[in-house]
C-alpha cells in the first residue's frame, strides 16, 4: 500500500510541476506580447509629444530621424502630425497625446520579428486624428522591442 501512496504522491508532484510550467509559459507570453504593446505606446507618445530622446529609444539606430538632430525631429513632428488640419488651432505649448490599441499580433518569419495591427488616436483639446489598421513592424533587439516601420506612416 505504501507503494501506491508513493506513486500517487509522484503523480501529484508531476501534475503540480506541469501546472507551474504552464503558468510560467503563460506569464512569459504575456510579458512578450505586453512588451510589444509598450513599445508601440512609447513610439506613438514620443511622436505626439515630439520627445526626441524617447523616440530614439523605440527605433533602430539607423532610423532617419534617430540618426539626425533633435531639431530635425521636432520639425518633422511639427510639419507632420501637428501640421494636420485637425491640429491647426493648437499652440506650440499644447501637448498631444496618443492612445494605442493593438488589435492583432502575428509573427513575421521568426520569433524576433512581428507585425502588429493597431488603432492609434492622437488627441488634444477636443481635436483628434485616428489611424485604424496601422501595421507596425517590430523587431526584438537588445532586450527590447523596436519599431522598424509603420504602414501607413503615422509621423
Amino acid at each position: 500500500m505504501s507503494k501506491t501512496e508513493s506513486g500517487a504522491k509522484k503523480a501529484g508532484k508531476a501534475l503540480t510541476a506541469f501546472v507551474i510550467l504552464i503558468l510560467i509559459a503563460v506569464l512569459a507570453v504575456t510579458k512578450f506580447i505586453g512588451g510589444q504593446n509598450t513599445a508601440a505606446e512609447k513610439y506613438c507618445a514620443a511622436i505626439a509629444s515630439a520627445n526626441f530622446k524617447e523616440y530614439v529609444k523605440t527605433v533602430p539606430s539607423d532610423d532617419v530621424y534617430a540618426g539626425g538632430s533633435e531639431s530635425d525631429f521636432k520639425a518633422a513632428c511639427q510639419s507632420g502630425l501637428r501640421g494636420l488640419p485637425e491640429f491647426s488651432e493648437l499652440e506650440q505649448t499644447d501637448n498631444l497625446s496618443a492612445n494605442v490599441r493593438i488589435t492583432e499580433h502575428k509573427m513575421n518569419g521568426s520569433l524576433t520579428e512581428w507585425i502588429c495591427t493597431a488603432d492609434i488616436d492622437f488627441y488634444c483639446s477636443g481635436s483628434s486624428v485616428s489611424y485604424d489598421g496601422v501595421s507596425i513592424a517590430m523587431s526584438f533587439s537588445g532586450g527590447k522591442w523596436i519599431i522598424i516601420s509603420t504602414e501607413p506612416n503615422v509621423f
Side-chain angles (χ1 to χ4, degrees):
M1 185 158 6
S2 65
K3 287 192 176 214
T4 306
E5 290 174 354
S6 178
K9 283 184 181 180
K10 285 182 182 178
K13 287 181 181 180
L15 182 60
T16 300
F18 178 73
V19 168
I20 289 172
L21 284 174
I22 294 295
L23 287 173
I24 289 171
V26 166
L27 289 173
V29 168
T30 301
K31 183 162 176 55
F32 189 75
I33 297 298
Q36 293 175 348
N37 294 355
T38 301
E41 290 166 357
K42 286 182 177 183
Y43 174 80
C44 292
I47 292 170
S49 63
N51 187 329
F52 181 69
K53 290 178 183 173
E54 287 302 314
Y55 178 80
V56 169
K57 293 177 185 177
T58 64
V59 296
S61 58
D62 63 351
D63 178 83
V64 65
Y65 297 110
S69 69
E70 184 171 358
S71 61
D72 290 342
F73 173 75
K74 289 184 183 274
C77 291
Q78 186 64 33
S79 66
L81 189 60
R82 285 182 172 263
L84 295 172
E86 293 85 351
F87 297 133
S88 62
E89 301 289 322
L90 296 180
E91 301 290 328
Q92 287 288 86
T93 56
D94 289 337
N95 291 321
L96 288 174
S97 297
N99 184 24
V100 180
R101 291 173 311 286
I102 303 250
T103 57
E104 180 183 16
H105 300 265
K106 61 183 174 183
M107 198 168 20
N108 187 28
S110 76
L111 191 58
T112 61
E113 293 182 15
W114 287 67
I115 295 179
C116 297
T117 305
D119 296 335
I120 304 169
D121 298 319
F122 293 100
Y123 57 92
C124 179
S125 302
S127 299
S128 67
V129 173
S130 296
Y131 295 92
D132 293 334
V134 175
S135 179
I136 304 172
M138 298 183 184
S139 178
F140 193 76
S141 177
K144 64 180 183 175
W145 288 103
I146 56 173
I147 308 301
I148 304 300
S149 65
T150 61
E151 186 62 42
N153 189 355
V154 295
F155 213 88

